Amino acid sequence: MIRSYLPHTEADRQAMLGVIGVHSAQELFADIPPNLRLARSLDLPAAMAEPELARHLQDMAKSNASLEDYACFLGAGSYDHYIPSVVDHVIRRSEFYTAYTQYQPEIAQGYLQALWEYQSMICEITGMEAANASMYDGGTALAEAAMAACGAVGRNEVIVAGTVHPHYRTLLGTYSIDKGYQIKEAAWAEGVTDLPKLEQQVSSATAAVLIQMPNFFGCLEDVKAIADIAHAKGALLVAAVNPISLGVLEAPGLLGADLVAGEGQPLGLSTSFGGPYLGFFAASEKLLRKMPGRIVGQTTDHEGTRGFVLTLQAREQHIRREKAVSNICSNEALCALTAAVYLSSVGKGGFRQIAELCLNKAHYAYSRLTALKGWRTEFFSPFFHEFVLHCDQPVAEINRALLAKKIIGGLDLEHYYPELAGCMLIAVTEKRTRADIDRLAAALEAMV
Amino acid sequence: MNFPKELKYSKEHEWIKVEGKRATIGITDFAQSQLGDVVFVELPNTGRTVKAGETFSVVESVKAVSDIYAPVSGTVVAVNEKLNDTPEAVNLSPYEDAWIAVIEMSDPGELEGLLDSGAYEQFTAEGGH
């Protein structure tokens, strides 16, 4: 017998219609113009029994490729890191997994504490004094940081490095339409921001300089020098950072960054076809009140017991909507929780070790690939776990051939940087084994 | 409730101390009592030009966030940086330690539109709206 999962019987529906005095569901929708109604049944196949349906969906799922079956050398803002098993077990607890708008202190102490722990960890790895409870993703966090900087400095020009992720720069442009800030792009050379040109560009009209560290090409920017250039003109430095790199690189807060934004996906979130991801946002104490989004604070109740609440809400949009720096009120609490569980499970030592493995494996891959005929390095700048190589064959062709060998190659940069036609952006995380890297090198060698 | 005689007042609950072309501005004893514990004062930047009636500072208390309006037009020539570390001075010493900014007036004639202490006291007695 096939049972319906709909709770109401036909008799129930008739009874309800009778109470309000209409004869049919169609009559109930009479206010919707006929041309907007679907005058037919939904185009779905016939109903199936559950075992049949399960088999059908499994067959469909088999046509998906997964990162478990392929060696992935594609990064460009989304990275294939190992996710400890404990992460999924913790975040799938229903107290976390099904909680919605977890901000009422009377009912959500556990979640508020978890978010507070997340904020504390973000502060620790970025070297900043305050962090919010999360934002949509790295791109929105950077755009929000640009707005916060304009609000704090009282200027409306931002200079964004051309080495910042192209998607982030597009997003920055989208935000500027409404917010009215002006965007200028800073030139780059050898894969990093051109400092003498930047120095000429930054003026007393500049609210902030926006950089990425490591940048889109994987190269390491001279954060301290850029901070000095910005500060000399009264502008702020906003740094978008890859959190994993902070296991080996100096924290941006200690290099002069005033606001730090970034993509938290590498902290225990799967690549998931591009989302949901995690924007993290941290600020110096001076800019605390310019920070968008929610902030969880630790306090004590009237009996002196430790407790957690949303704090500094007076600066939030629902209190002063028209004066708020930002009108964002959503956040990515479950993704923030994921990052917190990830960081606590790997620990300080593990965090450093993951970063070192990324660094070392990427440099091993770099040395293997640059030794191949037809492949050469594009930028002579230090890099973390991602690098750009130039090859003599079209990148798209190479990637197609690699895919047939169950290898996902690097990003074809031509689409984003026409001047880098023939260049591939290759990422190597701790998940890549020596065998994976050797297999990539052998596959590329076979193509020449 | 304290209403110093030597000051002028605005209906937005600011006090103004006039010395030549310079006007020192803060919020009144009545205003701080209405706001409750002040936790933050957002100061204007020195050098900024303000018009009378324009928001030029923000006072945040545990209860609310209030805009502070410039009672006179001119240029901000000094701000009380001490409020960054001791915003509670607004509650403890609204007329002395907790001045917010000094404006070099561009139109001293605007002072005519302000209240004296008696009129302001009367205004607060009627609810202050």
Side-chain angles (χ1 to χ4, degrees), chain A residues 159-183:
Chain A
I159 294 176
V160 60
T163 53
V164 166
H165 196 303
H167 290 173
Y168 294 6
R169 283 183 282 126
T170 306
L171 221 149
L172 202 60
T174 308
Y175 267 63
S176 75
I177 297 168
D178 180 47
K179 290 290 171 180
Y181 56 79
Q182 304 298 311
I183 304 167

Side-chain angles (χ1 to χ4, degrees), chain A residues 113-131:
Chain A
Q113 179 171 355
L115 291 171
W116 183 82
E117 302 284 2
Y118 156 81
Q119 290 171 183
S120 307
M121 291 181 212
I122 293 295
C123 287
E124 197 171 341
I125 63 173
T126 57
M128 302 300 281
E129 289 158 319

Side-chain angles (χ1 to χ4, degrees), chain A residues 99-114 308:
Chain A
Y100 179 67
T101 57
Q102 40 322 69
Y103 53 71
Q104 289 165 287
E106 308 86 335
I107 200 170
Q109 278 302 304
Y111 218 135
L112 286 167
Q113 179 171 355
F308 300 89

Side-chain angles (χ1 to χ4, degrees), chain A residues 111-300:
Chain A
Y111 218 135
L112 286 167
Q113 179 171 355
L115 291 171
W116 183 82
E117 302 284 2
Y118 156 81
Q119 290 171 183
S120 307
M121 291 181 212
I122 293 295
C123 287
E124 197 171 341
I125 63 173
T126 57
M128 302 300 281
E129 289 158 319
N132 74 10
S134 72
M135 317 207 74
Y136 291 130
D137 57 19
T140 46
L142 186 65
E144 290 281 347
M147 289 187 333
C150 290
V153 182
R155 302 173 183 173
N156 76 336
E157 173 195 276
V158 298
I159 294 176
V160 60
T163 53
V164 166
H165 196 303
H167 290 173
Y168 294 6
R169 283 183 282 126
T170 306
L171 221 149
L172 202 60
T174 308
Y175 267 63
S176 75
I177 297 168
D178 180 47
K179 290 290 171 180
Y181 56 79
Q182 304 298 311
I183 304 167
K184 288 184 177 168
E185 204 160 289
W188 51 273
E190 279 300 333
V192 292
T193 302
D194 185 326
L195 297 184
K197 283 188 178 163
L198 179 71
E199 195 153 16
Q200 289 171 352
Q201 205 173 9
V202 178
S203 73
S204 58
T206 311
V209 176
L210 277 51
I211 59 161
Q212 190 175 2
M213 177 68 177
N215 68 25
F216 185 64
F217 304 132
C219 300
L220 305 186
E221 298 277 5
D222 188 343
V223 181
K224 197 167 182 329
I226 297 171
D228 291 345
I229 289 170
H231 294 161
K233 292 282 175 20
L236 301 179
L237 176 68
V238 178
V241 294
N242 179 327
I244 294 288
S245 73
L246 300 174
V248 288
L249 298 176
E250 182 62 285
L254 302 179
L255 296 170
D258 302 286
L259 292 166
V260 175
E263 177 52 66
Q265 178 274 330
L267 303 175
L269 289 149
S270 62
T271 49
S272 293
F273 208 69
Y277 281 1
L278 163 68
F280 60 87
F281 191 115
S284 61
E285 189 168 358
K286 207 171 122 228
L287 295 168
L288 174 63
R289 281 180 166 74
K290 297 290 175 193
M291 192 153 63
R294 289 190 189 140
I295 304 170
V296 181
Q298 178 185 260
T299 182
T300 50

Side-chain angles (χ1 to χ4, degrees), chain A residues 22 63 78 105 177 198 230 287 298 327 407 416:
Chain A
V22 287
S63 59
S78 174
I177 297 168
L198 179 71
L287 295 168
Q298 178 185 260
N327 284 134
I407 297 171
Y416 298 105

